[in-house]
Amino acid sequence: MRRLPPLRALEAFVRTVKLGSAKAAASELAISAPALSRRIKALEDFIGKPLFDRKAQAMTPNDDAHRLIEAVSPALDMIADAVDAVSDRDAEFRLRLGVLPLFGSQRLIPNLGELRRLYPKLHLDVITSTHAENLLGDSVDAAIIIASQVDEKLYSRRLDTNSVYAITSREFAERENLQEPNDLTGQTVFVHSEMPGTFDAWRREVGLPNLKPASVDHMDSGPLMLEAAAQGLGVAIMHGSHFSDARDERLTRLFDIEVKSPYSYWFVCRPRALERRAVRVFHDWLVRAEI
């Protein structure tokens, strides 16, 4: 049999490339940064060439690294599939799911009781991440993401369509006398850093494409945006479902205007992953339940 590189070295390499950060990869693997570097160095020594350009504290994958990850990712998937195939089909089975915190708290957890009732042997390991699609085949089996479009190499299923709302606290809206969209001039607006197009779409639809608030502050957390709005710190431009699912009496929707969002929630996984029981069962339940 041909000699193979250490699996731990390959795992460290794959996670570093996919996560885009040695620090993030070390955290995912629960090892120290020096230990991660040693594993990657062992792989580089094995193949006889560097895989990263190292400058200061940064590690940037080079062309050889990208070629290698394209080659080894399918093989690692096949290993995982082979292990899954010989597992006890009547035993407990587990899904590693990447999910956005707001979707998890508002839509997944409230419906998890039904999933457990239907499939008592299915268990979820939930990983909250804003870029869970980058972890597919590595630390997650499937993910629920929010995006305007999905990489065509992935299997994807759109879970919803949504509208964009302007949301703030009732007290703030009354105090600032926010009666029409142009009243946002001079206010602080919160926009999700991963969904910058929501504010652009909202401004165009209300007929004010050049509307300039006093400040546009970006956050990478939907729950934090809702709380900031509820505290009267400004106006959050975000999905209407987040407003309705929050059921927060402190919040109110400004202006009765329907604006279609360019973003949707999607279920995504690698095509081969649907052959796995846990992924298939969860996917079919999610589509059927329409949560």
Side-chain angles (χ1 to χ4, degrees):
M1 179 181 293
R2 295 170 59 184
R3 183 167 167 258
L4 298 174
L7 187 57
R8 292 195 305 175
L10 277 173
E11 183 182 36
F13 161 72
V14 169
R15 293 202 182 194
T16 300
V17 173
K18 288 187 175 182
L19 293 174
S21 161
K23 180 179 179 181
S27 177
E28 283 283 331
L29 291 170
I31 60 176
S32 66
L36 180 86
S37 296
R38 287 194 295 271
R39 292 186 185 184
I40 291 175
K41 185 63 167 56
L43 179 61
E44 292 176 324
D45 290 344
F46 183 90
I47 65 176
K49 60 175 67 175
L51 295 170
F52 294 88
D53 295 326
R54 294 170 170 84
K55 295 181 179 179
Q57 301 298 317
M59 293 174 58
T60 305
N62 59 26
D63 291 341
D64 286 323
H66 290 297
R67 283 195 291 270
L68 180 60
I69 200 166
E70 286 293 326
V72 302
S73 289
L76 293 175
D77 285 344
M78 290 180 66
I79 292 173
D81 291 344
V83 172
D84 185 62
V86 299
S87 299
D88 185 354
R89 304 296 287 178
D90 294 325
E92 294 182 348
F93 55 114
R94 189 170 296 275
L95 173 70
R96 300 173 303 165
L97 180 69
V99 67
L100 294 164
L102 204 55
F103 186 96
S105 63
Q106 291 187 338
R107 296 171 64 171
L108 178 62
I109 297 301
N111 290 282
L112 208 53
E114 179 196 8
L115 179 64
R116 286 186 171 179
R117 180 179 61 81
L118 294 173
Y119 305 101
K121 293 184 178 180
L122 172 64
H123 294 273
L124 299 185
D125 292 331
V126 177
I127 300 171
T128 56
S129 172
T130 55
H131 292 288
E133 67 272 24
N134 294 334
L135 305 176
L136 290 171
D138 185 10
S139 56
V140 302
D141 305 309
I144 296 171
I145 65 173
I146 198 162
S148 56
Q149 58 185 7
V150 178
D151 187 340
E152 61 183 15
K153 294 180 182 178
L154 299 176
Y155 168 82
S156 62
R157 176 70 179 252
R158 189 193 299 268
L159 299 178
D160 69 0
T161 56
N162 227 305
S163 297
V164 181
Y165 286 8
I167 305 165
T168 192
S169 76
R170 297 178 183 277
E171 181 181 331
F172 183 81
E174 293 176 6
R175 184 174 72 245
E176 298 296 318
N177 193 29
L178 301 179
Q179 299 292 327
E180 56 186 47
N182 201 45
D183 291 336
L184 295 193
T185 302
Q187 302 295 342
T188 296
V189 167
F190 301 118
V191 177
H192 200 289
S193 55
E194 301 297 327
M195 301 169 61
T198 51
F199 191 36
D200 293 335
W202 188 84
R203 285 187 291 193
R204 287 194 302 269
E205 189 65 26
V206 301
L208 297 169
N210 298 316
L211 173 68
K212 293 185 182 299
S215 175
V216 177
D217 293 353
H218 294 84
M219 298 185 181
D220 68 353
S221 167
L224 285 182
M225 288 178 63
L226 284 173
E227 186 58 30
Q231 293 287 342
L233 301 178
V235 177
I237 303 296
M238 59 193 305
H239 279 179
S241 62
H242 297 152
F243 167 74
S244 57
D245 290 343
R247 297 181 177 88
D248 190 331
E249 291 298 324
R250 298 173 297 169
L251 294 171
T252 187
R253 172 192 175 187
L254 299 174
F255 327 123
D256 188 18
I257 302 172
E258 286 295 321
V259 178
K260 183 178 180 180
S261 174
Y263 302 93
S264 295
Y265 278 116
W266 300 78
F267 172 92
V268 296
C269 65
R270 292 187 177 183
R272 287 177 58 89
L274 283 173
E275 298 173 10
R276 298 187 58 199
R277 184 185 181 199
V279 176
R280 186 179 67 255
V281 165
F282 180 81
H283 165 273
D284 293 349
W285 169 78
L286 186 66
V287 172
R288 198 167 54 245
E290 297 182 342
I291 67 172

